Amino acid sequence: MRYDGPGLYVHVPFCSAICPYCDFAVLTGGAEKRARYVGDLVAEIAMYGGEWSEDGSGAIDLGAARVFDTIYLGGGTPSALAPEELARILGALRAALPVRADAWVFCEANPEDASADRVGAWRAAGVDTLSLGIQSFDAAALLFLGRRHDPGQARRSVELARQAGFHTVSIDLIYGLPAGLPGATLASWRRDLEAAVEAAPDHLSCYQLTIHAGTPFGFRAARGEIGELPEPAQAELFRFTHEFLADRGYFGYEVSSFARSPDHQSRHNRKYWDHTPYLGLGPSAHSFSGRRRWWNERRLPAWSAKIAAGGRPVAGGEELGGQELALEALMLGLRTRAGVDLARFRVRYGIDLAARNDALIDRLATEGLLEPVAGALIPSLHGLSVADSLARAFELGDG
């Protein structure tokens, strides 16, 4: 079954505690605040019942597939909501919007929220892929990262998800912690990956730690207390991650994404990488029509206030030109092992990459950054690790 229609993203902003590395729009809040959020979200969903362009003009072309076929509940922590609240959100989406009957539903969850009853309720609500924010199986690393679960809860959450019968169980891991901490060395990261493989998820997402300004880690970095690993150490960990997981049956189909089989790859995230339209709902959520991108108010009070006033909670937007779309598509494509189909790129963006960059392509292949595949730009593992700089080396001309 193909999933090439537009996607839905719902941002749930709540967390039981805010991790010191987190740069997302998240906040803590009790049951009453969460219930108000759900009510406001249902009202926002209803605003898009007729047409989901942000100005309501109906001018956006969604192509032949006008039905939403994926739903992603992200955050924040969707599992911070009560199961009946998640079920209400999914029901509202299906009632107000053209959602395919077999739309694929993804939900993020924290291990400490994964009791047998709650996991079963998520599955009963229609969740197909459960993504568990484990981050590490090492107790000291979890403490440093501000996580609220322990290694035992991490393992148990995967077991419970398996027993509940999700099609895909995915886990998130973070590596590249500052020197002197667990996760900073190759040996400690190997132990984490071994524990992850032993848990036998269907999918893994492995992210290098990024320290953002304005976060608790950002403040510590500004004081010189911590810092990101040097680039050579990051590159070594990146290469090791892909090689280790490939040897154990997990194909790295994107920079940070690994799956047991093509059937376990993310049906939703591929839309972001392929410029497929998507609608974002909830505070800070982004949307994309194919040429235009817009985003909601980031802060919950501002988002709620616009909805209460009867308007869509849009904070801003931008129209993307042909050059911008082409460069973005090239960057996104080179972050995946599928790479960039040259004929499709030429039809979609009006740019013949091969003709404009024949000498560059030959050089990048000789340097081992691109694999020699006719009709496509396929990054090697080395190329995958420097995908953004690789893309910027190409001449796009005027389109």
Side-chain angles (χ1 to χ4, degrees), residues 2 27 52 68 73 141-142 158 163 183 190 227 244 258 272 277 281 291 335 342 345 378 397:
R2 294 178 61 86
L27 69 161
W52 64 272
F68 296 101
L73 304 170
L142 289 171
V158 180
Q163 294 167 10
R190 181 188 183 98
F244 180 94
F258 305 82
Y272 303 144
L281 300 156
R291 293 197 70 87
R335 287 176 59 89
L342 292 171
F345 193 95
I378 306 294

Side-chain angles (χ1 to χ4, degrees), residues 232-269:
Q234 291 186 26
E236 181 183 20
L237 288 170
F238 176 87
R239 183 174 60 254
F240 174 78
T241 302
H242 277 260
E243 292 173 348
F244 180 94
L245 290 175
D247 288 344
R248 287 150 184 83
Y250 291 93
F251 174 64
Y253 66 99
E254 189 262 348
V255 165
S256 57
S257 305
F258 305 82
R260 281 184 182 273
S261 73
D263 195 43
H264 292 301
Q265 294 180 14
S266 176
R267 291 160 173 79
H268 183 84
N269 288 346

Side-chain angles (χ1 to χ4, degrees), residues 88-107:
R88 182 186 176 194
I89 292 169
L90 291 171
L93 291 170
R94 292 185 180 279
L97 298 170
V99 177
R100 208 167 85 181
D102 62 346
W104 202 268
V105 181
F106 301 73
C107 184

Side-chain angles (χ1 to χ4, degrees), residues 300-362:
L300 184 64
W303 173 81
S304 294
K306 284 193 173 180
I307 292 172
R312 291 177 179 172
V314 175
E318 60 181 351
E319 191 79 22
L320 300 176
Q323 287 285 296
E324 293 172 298
L325 286 168
L327 177 59
E328 193 173 271
L330 184 59
M331 286 182 170
L332 292 168
L334 290 176
R335 287 176 59 89
T336 72
R337 291 311 300 269
V340 177
D341 183 296
L342 292 171
R344 187 169 184 268
F345 193 95
R346 183 170 61 251
V347 169
R348 194 167 187 179
Y349 304 104
I351 298 172
D352 190 333
L353 283 175
R356 290 180 181 273
N357 298 275
D358 54 341
L360 173 66
I361 292 171
D362 287 344

